[in-house]
Structures are given as structure tokens and as C-alpha cells.
Amino acid sequence: MHQLSAHTVRLLSSAQVVASVLNVVKELTENALDADATAIDVKLENFGLERIEVRDNGIGIRAEDAPVMGVRHFTSKISSHEDLETLQTYGFRGEALGSICAVAEVTVTTKTKDDDVSVQYSLDSSGNIVSQKPSHLGQGTTVSVQRLFRNLPVRRQLYSSSKKCREELRRIQEVLTAFAIVKPELRIALYHNKGEAVRLVRQMPSRFSRAEVTETLRRMCAELERSHGTCLHGRPFLRPLVDLPRTDEEARTLAAPAAL
Ligand code: ADP
Ligand code: MG
């Protein structure tokens, strides 16, 4: 027997935390929500394999926190396990960003309300900053994840057919829809490939049938458990009721500004 190298251990354990495009989108969206974002844009290129970008208008990351944001087990959300009793956030393990860094190329662009300009940080596979430069984005954080699983052929294999890719996109759409349902005040959008139709309406309608909300949440929890071994944290606040859009066309109609 021999001991695996630290690099291999990090790669393998990261691949457990981040097992799919859906996982990445979910983790980044949860980080945005934890940062009190009221608007989130999720952009995917080639089903997220080429690029996943999640942009939020949340509180941003302070310059002094940036050096550890991608280092595993660093979190701003709890200080010790006792804080779990009063947890108000989705994240608390400090594992997501660091794990994503191990399996993809990550840049984080962020600006807090006290910063004059945003800064774009490039992270290495251990989550350390390798370079930084000023950029032009407004308050909030944009995480860009490129070439996911480039170093993990077995994971990449999961997306070998266009059927599997489309299926993953559908799951992503479903999970984001669920976030939109539990946070009716949130503006959340999903785009796939430049110029391709918007998949999720800009503003989900704020009223759904109780049965639809329950069913969506059940499916989402099942999905997250299946693919992540975890479930959704937090106490969603459910609003009352109309129909969920059934097709993209219906969703677009609902999202269109009301005719005067
Ligand atoms: P966790 O969410 O469990 O704390 P993550 O690895 O997901 O761990 O994120 C690490 C830290 O990076 C967070 O605790 C937070 O301080 C910061 N962070 C990550 N994403 C964002 C974001 N979109 N906005 C503000 N801070 C963020
Ligand atoms: Mg997190």
C-alpha cells in the first residue's frame, strides 16, 4: 500500500463535492443567495462544460477575504459547529469554491459597496489567487468556471451524448425554477449559449399552486440528494398560487411586461 499524493486526494475529494454541472450551478447560486443577491444570472456555454458563469448583485467579497475564498474549509458563514444551531445560510462548509477550483479553471470578479472598482481574481487548482486585475463590473460577484472536469475523464464521460447534456440542462432549469419559487422576490435567469433562447424567465411568476410548489420542492430535494448527497438548507417562504409555466413559450409570455 502507498499514500496518495495531496494533489490526488484533493482532486478525488473535490470530485465528490462537485460531481456535475448541476452541482456547480447550485453551489454558486446558493453562494449568491447567501450574499443577499436579489438578481442572479446563470450563463452556460456548451451545457456548462465549456463555461458556467453565475453573476450576482450581492454584498461582494472583501479584498482581505479574497485570498482564502477558494481555499477549502474557509467560510465566512460559521465559526464553529455550534453555529449550525442557528444557521441562516445555504453554505457553511467552505468547500464548494475550493472543490470547483480543483476540477476547473475559476475566476472570481467581485466588488463590495466600499470598493471603487471590481477586481478579477484568477484562482489555481488549490484555490489560491494567482493573478488579479481591476475590472468594470458593478457591486456583487461573478464566478466563472471554465473547462469543468477537464482533468477528470470519467466525469466528463457523463456528458458524452447530447441527450445526457440536454437532460442535465433540464435539471438545472428545474433547480433554478425551484429557487425562484421559494424566493419570489428574486430575479433569476438562465441562458444557454450566446444568442440562444433564455431558458428560465427573467422574473418567475410569483404565485403557484400549492401542489406544484410541493411537487417541485420534492423533486428538487430528490434530485439534490441523488446527485449530491445533501438537501436544501434554509426555510423557504412559500407564496400562494397560480400555474407554473409548462413551456418556454408560456414562461416568456408570463415574463413579458404587462401590456398597458
Ligand atoms: P461556504 O458557502 O460553505 O461558505 P464556499 O466555498 O461556497 O463555502 O464559499 C467560500 C466563501 O467565499 C463564502 O463563505 C463567502 O464568504 C465567499 N463567497 C463565495 N461566493 C460568494 C458570492 N457570490 N458573494 C459573496 N461571497 C461569496
Ligand atoms: Mg457555498
Side-chain angles (χ1 to χ4, degrees):
M1 252 192 259
H2 47 264
Q3 190 171 17
L4 294 172
S5 74
H7 176 76
T8 303
V9 170
R10 191 162 52 240
L11 182 62
L12 295 179
S13 66
S14 294
Q16 302 288 315
V17 177
V18 179
S20 64
V21 176
L22 172 65
N23 278 170
V24 175
V25 171
K26 172 187 165 279
E27 291 292 345
L28 298 181
T29 304
E30 288 183 346
N31 280 348
L33 291 171
D34 285 344
D36 294 329
T38 57
I40 303 176
D41 282 327
V42 178
K43 293 183 185 166
L44 307 178
E45 277 173 37
N46 188 21
F47 300 95
L49 295 171
E50 196 54 41
R51 184 177 161 90
I52 301 166
E53 183 186 285
V54 177
R55 175 171 302 194
D56 70 54
N57 66 348
I59 57 173
I61 300 169
R62 292 180 306 169
E64 69 237 54
D65 289 334
V68 292
M69 66 190 166
V71 179
R72 286 184 80 184
H73 311 300
F74 274 82
T75 179
S76 56
K77 298 170 193 174
I78 62 169
S79 304
S80 76
H81 69 276
E82 281 117 36
D83 295 342
L84 292 175
E85 299 287 338
T86 53
L87 195 66
Q88 299 285 342
T89 54
Y90 289 101
F92 58 88
R93 295 187 177 88
E95 270 191 316
L97 219 44
S99 300
I100 297 168
C101 287
V103 297
E105 290 161 16
V106 177
T107 64
V108 179
T109 308
T110 193
K111 178 178 179 304
T112 69
K113 68 177 186 343
D114 300 324
D115 300 329
D116 294 331
V117 289
S118 61
V119 179
Q120 185 186 89
Y121 300 97
S122 301
L123 306 181
D124 67 11
S125 65
S126 307
N128 295 310
I129 296 171
V130 284
S131 66
Q132 67 184 74
K133 60 181 184 192
S135 98
H136 62 279
L137 299 184
Q139 192 193 317
T141 303
T142 301
V143 180
S144 171
V145 174
Q146 300 203 63
R147 306 212 298 147
L148 183 67
F149 302 141
R150 69 193 185 287
N151 47 2
L152 286 169
V154 178
R155 285 273 184 265
R156 197 121 190 148
Q157 192 66 30
L158 291 174
Y159 304 98
S160 54
S161 76
S162 71
K163 182 161 173 281
K164 289 176 183 164
C165 287
R166 282 199 306 277
E167 176 70 6
E168 182 81 347
L169 190 58
R170 193 190 57 71
R171 289 203 191 106
I172 291 169
Q173 192 173 353
E174 204 158 279
V175 168
L176 293 183
T177 304
F179 278 120
I181 290 173
V182 297
K183 303 219 174 254
E185 64 289 347
L186 176 71
R187 192 190 68 72
I188 188 163
L190 172 65
Y191 305 86
H192 182 234
N193 291 344
K194 281 197 190 67
E196 195 171 303
V198 175
R199 299 281 176 162
L200 191 74
V201 293
R202 282 206 307 126
Q203 174 69 64
M204 294 299 297
S206 58
R207 292 174 300 152
F208 302 88
S209 81
R210 188 167 299 279
E212 280 160 339
V213 170
T214 312
E215 173 58 15
T216 306
L217 289 174
R218 190 195 63 72
R219 283 210 312 270
M220 178 176 66
C221 284
E223 189 59 55
L224 296 177
E225 247 163 39
R226 191 186 65 75
S227 59
H228 196 204
T230 183
C231 194
L232 205 68
H233 302 285
R235 300 193 178 83
F237 177 67
L238 305 184
R239 293 253 177 110
L241 320 197
V242 242
D243 290 340
L244 268 176
R246 263 163 257 279
T247 61
D248 283 5
E249 191 50 47
E250 234 177 88
R252 268 194 293 277
T253 315
L254 280 165
L260 293 174

